[in-house]
Every structure is written in structure tokens, then in C-alpha cells.
Amino acid sequence: MDLQQIKYFLALARELHFWNTAGKMNITQSALSRQIQSLENQLGIQLFERNKRNVKLTAAGRFLKEKWEVELSELEYIHQSARQIHLGESGTITISHPDSISASLMPDILSRISTAFPKLKIKLVQVLYENQQEFLRTYKIDLAITRDINHARDIKSEKIYTDNLAIVVPDDHPYQKPEDLTKETLANQKFILPTTDEGSSYSDLIQRLFNSFENAPEVYLHSEFGSAIIALVRKGLGIAILPDSYLYHEISGIRFIKLPLEKTDLYINWRAEDHNPVLANVLKLILP
């Protein structure tokens, strides 16, 4: 007994006519008769009562028609799901990203993915800088969007976007434009900054900015989360340097002063030897 024999049986059970069924199944009437007889022999039961004029289901045939229609429908669904997984159209992909692009870049990326692959499940996480490569290597995440340059050979990386850095201040702060930042005025400011990570090119970028003013400002608070930094700035506890993509969060009570010459790049990183079709499909949508 094979799947095709069951399909022949169900077609005949619906038509109750060998000639019509054979035409719809694109086989000869004699071939259909042999398939049904073979199925009956394998099962050891009679499925149809037939004479020269009529074909009708036996009680056992009616029972199998009811059960097999459900089973075949579920099997077709399973096969279709397997094909979608094979083609990278379904499954799950886990993406880590910085908080700064939650309201700017990520909605556009997610819209492209969900439109192209509506059955694909997407899991979004935020991962500490020092864990990003380990999480990629151990398959805890599939893609890492980061502001840091990758130097690992087993991880591929491509630049996908560039932001400006910005000074973030409360609405009532005297800073109004980039030119207001000087060695003298910076000396009077308290800064709330992202956590300094050793080896992080993003941390190095902020440090180079301070070096350009020949000033090491007072930093009394560090946080991994830009949204928390912004809340503290809004509360008047200090000022910050963050990517200007946080503008899309539309938080009242603060101002962003864009620094035109200070750029921060965004990179997408993935396992170099990962041939998962889901990953390949998503990368095609994200990479420039």
C-alpha cells in the first residue's frame, strides 16, 4: 500500500465511477481497477461493491474514506511545511540588534522579511557585546546587527547602514548646536554613556571623540541600554552621546544635536559556514 493508491481510492470514493475517476487521475480504467484491487488485497477487505452499472462504498470503505481524507490532508500539510523549510520559507530566525535601531531600521527590516516569508518566525533579542560572537558560534542567534567591526574569520560581516553620533541633552540644556561643544564647556558636564567594552570599535569611536576635544569628561554612569540612558538624560542627571537613530523613538523632553562629522556604522554578522536556507533568504533581503 502506498500513498498514490490511497489517492486513487479517495478519488473513486468521491466519483463512484471508474471511467470518470480514471480520466481525472490521468490513468486508464484498467490500471485504476488494478490499483484498487491491489489495495483491497493488501488490506484484506472489500472497499467497493461494484457491478456493471453501479459502484458504491462498503461500510469499511466509508470508514476509510472518512479517516484517510483527514490523514491525507494532514500529510499534505506536513509535506508542504517540509518543502517550505527546505526552501527557507518557514522556520525560525533569531536576530540580535542594538536598542538604538529598534524604532528606525528594525521595523523596515522586519517588514521586508514578513512580507516575503509570512510563515517565518522571527525572534528578536539584545545581546551584550562580549557575548555576540559566542552566541553566533553556538547557534543561540543567527544574525547579529552590531556597531562593532568584526575580525573573526569564522564570522562574515557586511556594513548595512551608517548613523551620526549625537549629543543628547534635556530640552532646557544650553547646548543648541555642535559648535557649543568645546573643551571648556565639556569640562562642566556629567556624561551618561554606554558601557565601555574592551575591543569594541564603537567604544573606541566615542573615546576618539572626547580625545578630539582634548578632554576626558566626567562619566559617572554607564548603561548597556540606550533607552535607559535617554530616560536619565530626560531626568536631568547628565548628558549623553548616542546614535541619532534614537530620534525615531520620539521621546519628549530631550534634544538630539547631530554631530555631522561623527559617523557610526552598522554591520550584520553571521556564521560563515552556515548554509541554512532561511538565513540565506533573510540575508538577501537585508544586505545592500
Side-chain angles (χ1 to χ4, degrees):
M1 182 176 65
D2 59 33
L3 189 60
Q4 190 58 50
Q5 286 179 317
I6 295 175
K7 289 181 178 179
Y8 288 144
F9 162 76
L10 290 174
L12 181 58
R14 287 188 292 267
E15 291 290 327
L16 295 176
H17 194 288
F18 274 88
W19 181 265
N20 291 347
T21 303
K24 288 186 176 182
M25 299 301 289
N26 201 28
I27 61 171
T28 64
Q29 184 175 343
S30 59
L32 176 61
S33 295
R34 287 195 299 273
Q35 291 289 344
I36 297 300
Q37 187 174 7
S38 174
L39 183 59
E40 289 178 322
N41 291 338
Q42 291 175 66
L43 292 172
I45 59 177
Q46 184 178 352
L47 297 171
F48 295 94
E49 295 176 1
R50 43 200 181 271
N51 55 40
K52 291 183 178 180
R53 299 186 61 182
N54 296 308
V55 177
K56 66 178 183 177
L57 285 163
T58 64
R62 287 194 298 273
F63 172 80
L64 286 177
K65 175 180 181 292
E66 179 183 335
K67 297 299 182 182
W68 276 345
E69 280 180 334
V70 174
E71 295 292 333
L72 191 63
S73 177
E74 291 180 354
L75 199 57
E76 288 291 344
Y77 172 78
I78 291 170
H79 292 171
Q80 178 63 25
S81 297
R83 285 190 290 270
Q84 290 172 339
I85 293 171
H86 172 71
L87 296 173
E89 296 174 356
S90 69
T92 302
I93 188 162
T94 304
I95 305 173
S96 74
H97 66 90
D99 184 36
S100 57
I101 61 171
S102 295
S104 58
L105 202 58
M106 288 309 297
D108 177 60
I109 289 175
L110 298 177
S111 176
R112 277 182 270 165
I113 296 173
S114 62
T115 299
F117 305 108
K119 294 185 179 295
L120 185 63
K121 295 179 181 178
I122 307 167
K123 183 178 179 181
L124 301 179
V125 298
Q126 292 185 16
V127 178
L128 298 178
Y129 165 76
E130 61 265 26
N131 294 331
Q132 287 170 355
Q133 293 189 354
E134 177 198 345
F135 277 34
L136 278 172
R137 293 186 178 109
T138 56
Y139 290 78
K140 292 180 180 178
I141 58 176
D142 300 300
L143 289 172
I145 301 175
T146 174
R147 295 188 182 276
D148 289 289
I149 300 170
N150 166 59
H151 298 290
R153 292 186 178 182
D154 60 336
I155 295 174
K156 286 189 176 180
S157 183
E158 291 283 347
K159 185 171 79 170
I160 59 171
Y161 198 71
T162 299
D163 283 324
N164 282 92
L165 288 180
I167 298 290
V168 187
V169 299
D171 272 341
D172 58 355
H173 195 278
Y175 281 167
Q176 297 292 328
K177 55 188 183 300
E179 292 74 21
D180 293 334
L181 278 71
T182 65
K183 178 179 178 180
E184 290 71 28
T185 60
L186 282 173
N188 300 320
Q189 302 298 322
K190 284 188 174 182
F191 275 84
I192 308 165
L193 294 182
T195 301
T196 302
D197 295 305
E198 185 177 352
S200 165
S201 54
Y202 180 65
S203 295
D204 292 343
L205 176 63
I206 293 178
Q207 188 56 52
R208 287 197 300 272
L209 173 61
F210 285 139
N211 291 344
S212 69
F213 288 100
E214 298 179 351
N215 194 322
E218 181 182 356
V219 181
Y220 79 106
L221 197 152
H222 289 278
S223 174
E224 285 284 350
F225 304 103
S227 55
I229 293 175
I230 288 174
L232 296 173
V233 170
R234 183 181 181 186
K235 195 70 174 178
L237 297 178
I239 66 174
I241 298 175
L242 291 170
D244 66 353
S245 52
Y246 276 109
L247 276 165
Y248 289 86
H249 289 235
E250 298 181 354
I251 303 171
S252 62
I254 59 171
R255 283 187 289 108
F256 284 78
I257 304 171
K258 184 183 294 188
L259 304 175
L261 300 181
E262 304 299 333
K263 308 287 186 180
T264 169
D265 295 326
L266 276 164
Y267 302 87
I268 189 162
N269 306 271
W270 68 97
R271 292 176 291 274
E273 298 301 323
D274 193 336
H275 303 295
N276 184 344
V278 170
L279 178 61
N281 286 341
V282 170
L283 282 171
K284 288 177 184 177
L285 294 173
I286 297 177
L287 291 177

